Amino acid sequence: MTTILALETSCDETAVAVVRDRQVLSNAVTSQVELHQPYGGVVPEVACRQHLETLNLVLEEALSQARVFSWESIDGIAATCAPGLIGSLLMGLSAAKTLALVHQKPFLGVHHLEGHIYASYLAEAQLQPPFLCLLVSGGHTSLIQVRGCGDYGILGETRDDAAGEAFDKVARLLGLEYPGGPVIDQLADQGDPGRFNLPEGQVSLPEGGYHPYDTSFSGLKTAVLRLVRKLEATTAAPLPVNDLAASFQNAVARSLTRRALRAAQDYNLETLVVVGGVAANRGLRKHLGSAATTQGVRVLFPHPSLCTDNAAMIACAASDHFDHGHRSSLSLTAQSRLSLTRVMSLYE
Ligand code: KG4
Ligand code: ZN
């Protein structure tokens, strides 16, 4: 059994968790959403200062929830070190390194996206690679072939906006608050997804045809903008926000479902896991869930609290690396960008 304490501060959530193998002992998260709301997005400087303010409190909460009363019971200390906002990453990373040094524990840096993938093991402890992972967050939209610990193949990515970013931008142009995903999800529940025909977005290939797995959401965002302008110019009635939200959400769900199921078929992968903040979306869960059942693909959606940023997923990834004998140097630095295919560069 391996018990890991992990810190996650890559963006606007200050999170600390204790995980024993694939069992969550504590998962403390403090969101900064309200702080950034007036700006309509995350302000890096504000985020990093706030991590500094709250990290100790969240750490204490995670340790007491997990009933960790002695450092003896912790085998390793981990922190997200890439990718993310550099100032924010540095807060959790420096704290984790300090704890590791003071308490003489092995230290492990974790790739944020690998953490998101590991949320699937927390959802189903028996899960084994290979499987397909659709990672849809505020900064990333990727289709990943999970082959093993630290071994990933990127099959598809977004060419422009990430899925979560598209939700946030469309919410803004509909006059809704930040972050847009949860609000659109809620409004879409009362809207008609078939009222407006919005494009899914395709990525053309130089040799002709379309990329089977890559996504593009900027055209969809522009289509919503044009539609809103047209509606505002032609009618005095209030914008049909519920129908717009439902139609937009439906276009995103269709786009992601088509690509994920095509990849599952082409790569002969029987299990698809969906992680990242957008995996909490109820429209996506419904659309993808029923299409996958028809195709005979098993879909796994971790609990929404494990889909959005949290430290339990980071601890779970660190615990697997720990068991494989991987350790990071205390001189490991934060990196704002790092491909998932370079995860093993974090370990000695
Ligand atoms: O994974 P995450 O918490 O942070 C990143 O690593 O980016 O994802 C945040 C993104 C935001 O863009 C937010 O609008 C979106 O996830 N999101 C949702 C929902 N909940 C969060 N998008 C659609 N539906 C939701 N229910
Ligand atoms: Zn994330």
Side-chain angles (χ1 to χ4, degrees), residues 233-316:
T234 53
T235 160
L239 273 181
V241 180
N242 294 356
D243 292 345
L244 284 164
S247 302
F248 161 75
Q249 182 172 284
N250 180 258
V252 175
R254 278 187 283 129
S255 166
L256 295 173
T257 298
R258 190 184 309 281
R259 285 156 182 79
L261 293 184
R262 169 83 189 267
Q265 189 173 33
D266 293 352
Y267 285 81
N268 208 12
L269 296 163
E270 288 162 8
T271 301
L272 164 67
V273 298
V274 191
V275 297
V278 183
N281 185 264
R282 287 173 296 164
L284 176 64
R285 284 177 177 238
K286 205 162 138 194
H287 192 86
L288 181 49
S290 77
T293 308
T294 310
Q295 196 178 299
V297 172
R298 194 171 75 93
V299 197
L300 187 62
F301 285 101
H303 187 273
S305 63
L306 294 171
C307 287
T308 47
D309 284 351
N310 66 86
M313 65 185 195
I314 303 298
C316 185

Side-chain angles (χ1 to χ4, degrees), residues 8 10-11 112-113 116 135 137-140 276-277 307-310 313:
E8 151 66 45
S10 65
C11 190
H112 183 74
L113 302 189
H116 272 300
L135 195 162
S137 69
H140 296 86
C307 287
T308 47
D309 284 351
N310 66 86
M313 65 185 195

